[in-house]
Amino acid sequence: EAGAFADCTQLEKVLIPRSAALGGAEDEDALTESVFATNTILLVYEGSYAHTYAERKGCLYEIVTDGEEGGRTLQKDGITYFILNGEAIAVDCDSSITSVTVPSTVEGYPVTTLRETFRGKTALKNVTLSKGLKTISSYAFEKSGITSIEIPDSVTAVGEFAFSECAALESVKFSANMSRISEDCFNGSGLTSVTIPGNIKRVESYAFSNCDSMKRITIEDGVTYIERNAFSGYGYTEVHIPKTVKTIEDYAFSCSSLKKVTLEEGVQNIGSAFSMSGIESIVLPSTVTSLDWYAFDNCRSLKSITIPGTLQYISYYAFRNCTGLTEVILEEGVRYIEAGAFADCTQLEKVLIPR
């Protein structure tokens, strides 16, 4: 059943018989939760239920025939590799290592993937990733002691929680061939600044949440979507949203230290993205067509807001409890102001309502 061997991180490989259905059922719809830890290699028979499971879950696996156990492991410079289908996959390293280089090849095999290789390795401070690496899997460096990371351009995918809770991690340089920053990727890390390059199209939920040492965020043209709580936390005071960003989800910039926000023309959909932030003023661009419930709820330092006529609908509680708000400019074109939109804005004395 699901979770039967979850978090058994020392379990290197398992031979799955043809009769076994992983996840609790033989149909593919049941393959929703992991049975094994992500670093466990499944030895499966071609066409078996376990083969289907491994493919759909993105597990490490090797197809075997009767009498074979498949794969082999080797160790080099403190790193343990599993050789699979002609490639080397880094699965673990010595806990005492303080500095390491992940090579492009080991004994002639290209090193293509990091699994949970450096997870919890608090002694590790310096790591160099060589060109040729393709995938950094979920939890690869979680809670490790690394201080900086440069992701080579050969990398196309970085998994969830890959660098989460790396308290000493201060800087990161992204691969030019990544298209997204995964959920919780740097959550709780020690990053002091970050530049999101234009090749990154999507910043997923909680990617940089709780990075309380963060002082500067740079988002370059090309980024299109910022998911919920992507940068929620404390530390940075200013953010500039480029014209390529179309959607900003709930609590994306819920940051009490945030004072200044610049939104370029091009931004269209804003959820409760700035709720509970410390912003003092905001001008919504004319391209904004959707402002969700609680968009600026509890922004108590907000003093003025300009709402363009292209935004016809101001949602429920959009500016509720903005107790410092003294000026609201509603441009001609605004048609609906829902109940509670400016509730508890006790300093707001008068507002000109357009025709």
Side-chain angles (χ1 to χ4, degrees), residues 143-198:
K143 296 182 181 179
S144 69
I146 60 171
T147 58
S148 65
I149 189 72
E150 182 171 342
I151 302 172
D153 289 345
S154 54
V155 171
T156 58
V158 177
E160 299 172 358
F161 296 92
F163 300 94
S164 68
E165 297 186 63
C166 292
L169 179 63
E170 294 184 353
S171 65
V172 57
K173 183 179 184 297
F174 294 102
S175 162
N177 290 299
M178 291 172 58
S179 61
R180 66 187 179 95
I181 299 175
S182 297
E183 185 174 334
D184 288 281
C185 195
F186 294 90
N187 189 348
S189 73
L191 288 173
T192 58
S193 66
V194 67
T195 297
I196 314 297

Side-chain angles (χ1 to χ4, degrees), residues 69-117:
E69 291 185 356
R72 71 183 181 93
T73 59
L74 62 86
Q75 289 188 326
K76 182 76 171 179
D77 298 327
I79 300 178
T80 301
Y81 300 91
F82 185 77
I83 307 305
L84 183 67
N85 299 324
E87 298 180 351
I89 299 168
V91 294
D92 199 4
C93 83
D94 293 346
S95 296
S96 60
I97 285 180
T98 59
S99 183
V100 68
T101 296
V102 178
S104 56
T105 62
V106 58
E107 294 191 6
Y109 296 100
V111 179
T112 60
T113 304
L114 300 181
R115 299 300 284 187
E116 295 178 18
T117 319

Side-chain angles (χ1 to χ4, degrees), residues 72 141 276 297 339:
R72 71 183 181 93
F141 291 90
M276 295 181 286
D297 178 53

